[in-house]
């Protein structure tokens, strides 16, 4: 988040060019010139108000920096040479405001700068009945955080996007556009409100058809600074995961298939696929597959209890596959043509009682996450006949055999490149994950 101080024009309604305006009382043998430095300061940094006495500076002098307020002026700094050099600061905020006078220069330092520091500041000097002053006016614009743009959910072939940001002042402008640059802001629901520090927060949501555009952008602009932040997200690679069954009944000693299918029109340029077992006090990753069509992946897998390095066979430099060592003979994930069709089902070999529980199949890309839960029930062979009548919504075995999981062979990884679908002409490369 960035904040800045900007000096306003004396006639801001006619010009947006920033400059200091001041007035002098040309009496006595000296004049005053006030300045603010730097012209733009980030929130949390320091702003310095300085007032220079030009000409013959009298020995007996009173100098005063104060802020003009509607009800009562607020003193930032006061110096009186006739009272043994008495110096007073702003008693209400002394830890943030420091002042000093020396060699004809009155300086006040504010640290850190806040939005409430906007206003008119006066440097006043009195000597032997002569009064002179210089006035500056400052406004504190806030250049907020970069937008956070995420996909919230999908329903009936449409996608809901959310754009959030904070730290803006004055009230910012929010603009949504599609991949052609066409403005679609009117379709959005936007809420802009102040926080406790008088800075504006933005919460904007937009619902569009998942085929309406390859990308959507959210832009937030500060009208005073004429600067903006912009965030773009790809929606052409939207995806989902599904399963034919939510409960699997398995027989001890046999094998079972936990179904999971990736549904997508165009594969995102990067994705993470994962199987894990969950439950009270349990949340262990069983299988993990990562790929990035653009950036090479280096050791992008869990470091605990992993297969030895010889078991990790990368599909080029853009993908990594990982299987928990405990499951190297227990679990296998579909490969070859089935994997290329989006079938990421998990096979559990030689079922035991301890294999019962809940298993999660998940896919993550573009800050969007989808998952399904499959519950595995385990029965003994003797009870199989008694259970058949209650298995109308369950499966036990599948004749389809997935390829070996871990250790992996190079041939298995070559087959993984089939998962990449032919990309649309949207400028996003998804040529291969292999």
């Amino acid at each position: 988040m960035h904040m800045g101080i900007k000096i306003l024009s004396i006639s801001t309604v006619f010009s947006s060019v920033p400059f200091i305006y001041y007035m002098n009382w040309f009496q006595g043998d000296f004049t005053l010139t006030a300045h603010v430095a730097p012209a733009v300061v980030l929130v949390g940094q320091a702003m310095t108000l300085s007032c220079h006495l030009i000409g013959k500076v009298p020995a007996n002098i009173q100098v005063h920096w104060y802020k003009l307020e509607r009800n009562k002026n607020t003193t930032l700094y006061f110096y009186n040479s006739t009272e043994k050099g008495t110096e007073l600061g702003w008693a209400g905020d002394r830890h943030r405001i420091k002042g000093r006078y020396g060699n004809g220069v009155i300086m006040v330092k504010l640290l850190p700068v806040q939005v409430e520091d906007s206003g008119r500041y006066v440097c006043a000097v009195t000597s032997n009945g002569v009064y002179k002053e210089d006035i500056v006016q400052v406004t504190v614009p806030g250049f907020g955080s970069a937008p956070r743009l995420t996909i919230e959910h999908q329903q009936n072939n449409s996608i809901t996007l959310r754009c959030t940001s904070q730290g803006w002042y004055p009230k910012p402008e929010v603009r949504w556009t599609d991949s052609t640059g066409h403005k679609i802001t009117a379709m959005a629901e936007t809420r802009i409100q102040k926080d406790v520090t008088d800075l504006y927060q933005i919460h904007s949501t937009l619902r569009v058809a998942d085929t309406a555009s390859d990308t959507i952008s959210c832009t937030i602009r500060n009208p005073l600074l004429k600067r903006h932040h912009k965030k773009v997200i790809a929606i052409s690679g939207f995806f989902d995961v599904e399963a034919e069954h939510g409960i699997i009944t398995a027989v001890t000693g046999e094998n079972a298939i936990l179904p999971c299918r990736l549904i997508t029109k165009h594969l995102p340029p990067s994705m993470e696929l994962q199987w894990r077992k969950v439950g009270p006090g349990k949340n262990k990753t069983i299988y993990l597959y990562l790929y990035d069509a653009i950036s090479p992946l280096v050791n992008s897998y869990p470091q605990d209890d992993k297969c030895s390095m010889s078991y990790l066979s990368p599909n080029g430099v853009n993908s990594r596959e990982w299987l928990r060592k405990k499951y190297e003979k227990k679990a296998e994930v579909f490969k070859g043509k089935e994997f290329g069709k989006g079938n990421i089902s998990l096979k559990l070999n030689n079922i035991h009682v301890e294999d019962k529980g809940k298993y999660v199949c998940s896919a993550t890309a573009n800050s969007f996450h989808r998952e399904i839960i499959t519950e595995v029930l385990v029965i003994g062979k003797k009870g199989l006949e008694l259970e058949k009548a209650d298995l109308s919504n369950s499966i036990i075995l599948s004749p389809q055999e997935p390829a070996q999981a871990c250790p992996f062979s190079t041939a298995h990884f070559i087959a993984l490149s089939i998962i990449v679908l032919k990309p649309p002409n949207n400028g996003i490369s998804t040529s291969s994950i292999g």
Side-chain angles (χ1 to χ4, degrees):
M1 179 180 70
H2 301 288
M3 292 280 299
I5 283 185
K6 184 173 182 179
I7 310 304
L8 295 182
S9 166
I10 190 171
S11 56
T12 54
V13 294
F14 303 107
S15 172
S16 60
V17 178
F19 68 94
I20 301 174
Y21 75 90
Y22 59 90
M23 59 183 180
N24 291 318
W25 294 78
F26 293 98
Q27 301 177 9
D29 298 325
F30 64 92
T31 58
L32 300 180
T33 302
H35 301 278
V36 178
V40 176
V41 60
L42 301 180
V43 69
Q45 296 182 346
M47 176 186 73
T48 301
L49 300 169
S50 61
C51 189
H52 297 258
L53 279 67
I54 302 173
K56 184 178 179 181
V57 180
N60 298 329
I61 193 172
Q62 291 181 347
V63 295
H64 189 193
W65 260 113
Y66 62 94
K67 183 180 181 183
L68 287 171
E69 303 284 2
R70 178 175 298 180
N71 298 322
K72 182 180 179 181
N73 295 336
T74 303
T75 295
L76 279 69
Y77 175 78
F78 179 81
Y79 172 83
N80 189 347
S81 64
T82 62
E83 297 182 5
K84 298 181 181 181
T86 300
E87 295 186 22
L88 297 174
W90 190 356
D93 207 355
R94 188 170 295 174
H95 70 284
R96 197 171 67 90
I97 301 176
K98 305 294 181 183
R100 64 181 177 86
Y101 169 75
N103 299 322
V105 180
I106 309 104
M107 300 186 68
V108 174
K109 185 175 182 179
L110 288 80
L111 174 68
V113 170
Q114 301 171 359
V115 173
E116 63 185 19
D117 294 323
S118 299
R120 302 175 69 194
Y121 293 85
V122 179
C123 173
V125 176
T126 304
S127 177
N128 299 323
V130 177
Y131 175 85
K132 299 183 180 183
E133 70 177 26
D134 196 0
I135 304 174
V136 295
Q137 180 169 337
V138 299
T139 292
V140 182
F143 190 54
S145 61
R148 184 172 184 268
L149 182 56
T150 58
I151 299 175
E152 290 296 293
H153 61 270
Q154 183 266 350
Q155 185 177 7
N156 298 329
N157 297 321
S158 67
I159 298 174
T160 300
L161 305 174
R162 180 179 297 275
C163 182
T164 58
S165 183
Q166 59 186 1
W168 295 86
Y169 190 88
K171 189 175 182 179
E173 302 166 352
V174 180
R175 183 172 68 250
W176 290 88
T177 54
D178 61 17
S179 54
T180 66
H182 179 68
K183 294 181 181 180
I184 51 177
T185 309
M187 300 166 55
E189 294 183 5
T190 302
R191 185 175 75 256
I192 303 176
Q193 57 188 16
K194 283 186 177 182
D195 61 17
V196 294
T197 62
D198 285 334
L199 298 174
Y200 285 96
Q201 298 178 333
I202 297 93
H203 300 270
S204 185
T205 58
L206 175 71
R207 186 173 180 178
V208 295
D210 57 8
T211 58
S213 176
D214 294 332
T215 61
I216 297 291
S217 65
C218 175
T219 303
I220 303 177
R221 180 179 181 269
N222 185 306
L224 185 62
L225 295 176
K226 295 180 172 58
R227 296 172 59 191
H228 70 270
H229 279 310
K230 181 179 181 179
K231 185 72 173 181
V232 181
I233 191 170
I235 64 172
S236 60
F238 181 79
F239 59 91
D240 203 350
V241 290
E242 66 176 19
E244 295 85 355
H245 307 277
I247 299 178
I248 303 298
T249 301
V251 181
T252 56
E254 303 291 345
N255 304 333
I257 303 296
L258 282 60
C260 185
R261 184 174 297 275
L262 178 66
I263 308 299
T264 181
K265 294 180 179 179
H266 307 291
L267 199 69
S270 63
M271 179 173 276
E272 175 186 301
L273 306 175
Q274 185 177 150
W275 271 102
R276 67 184 188 274
K277 187 177 183 182
V278 298
K282 299 177 182 179
N283 194 343
K284 289 187 176 181
T285 299
I286 299 174
Y287 172 82
L288 179 67
Y289 178 71
L290 300 167
Y291 81 87
D292 192 317
I294 301 174
S295 303
L297 299 173
V298 180
N299 296 333
S300 301
Y301 46 79
Q303 297 298 311
D304 60 316
D305 192 28
K306 62 179 180 294
C307 292
S308 64
M309 290 301 291
S310 61
Y311 291 160
L312 292 166
S313 303
N315 181 21
V317 296
N318 297 90
S319 65
R320 289 291 184 272
E321 192 170 26
W322 178 90
L323 183 72
R324 187 172 291 277
K325 191 171 181 64
K326 176 183 176 182
Y327 285 87
E328 64 180 277
K329 294 182 179 180
K330 183 73 175 178
E332 306 172 46
V333 176
F334 278 78
K335 302 289 170 56
K337 292 182 179 180
E338 287 301 313
F339 199 92
K341 295 176 183 177
N343 188 353
I344 51 177
S345 301
L346 179 72
K347 178 187 176 185
L348 296 179
N349 298 317
N350 192 18
I351 292 292
H352 289 79
V353 174
E354 57 267 24
D355 294 322
K356 68 178 180 180
K358 294 182 178 181
Y359 295 77
V360 177
C361 174
S362 65
T364 304
N366 290 335
S367 302
F368 186 73
H369 179 83
R370 300 292 286 176
E371 66 179 36
I372 57 170
I373 299 176
T374 300
E375 184 174 4
V376 175
L377 306 177
V378 178
I379 62 174
K381 288 186 177 181
K382 292 183 179 180
L384 177 59
E385 295 298 326
L386 296 176
E387 296 289 339
K388 281 185 177 180
D390 298 323
L391 298 182
S392 59
N393 295 321
S394 304
I395 64 171
I396 300 175
L397 300 174
S398 172
Q400 214 166 14
E401 291 295 322
Q404 185 180 8
C406 181
F408 304 109
S409 68
T410 304
H412 297 148
F413 277 90
I414 293 175
L416 286 178
S417 62
I418 300 173
I419 192 173
V420 181
L421 305 179
K422 184 178 180 181
N425 187 20
N426 59 2
I428 301 176
S429 174
T430 57
S431 59
S432 177
I433 59 173

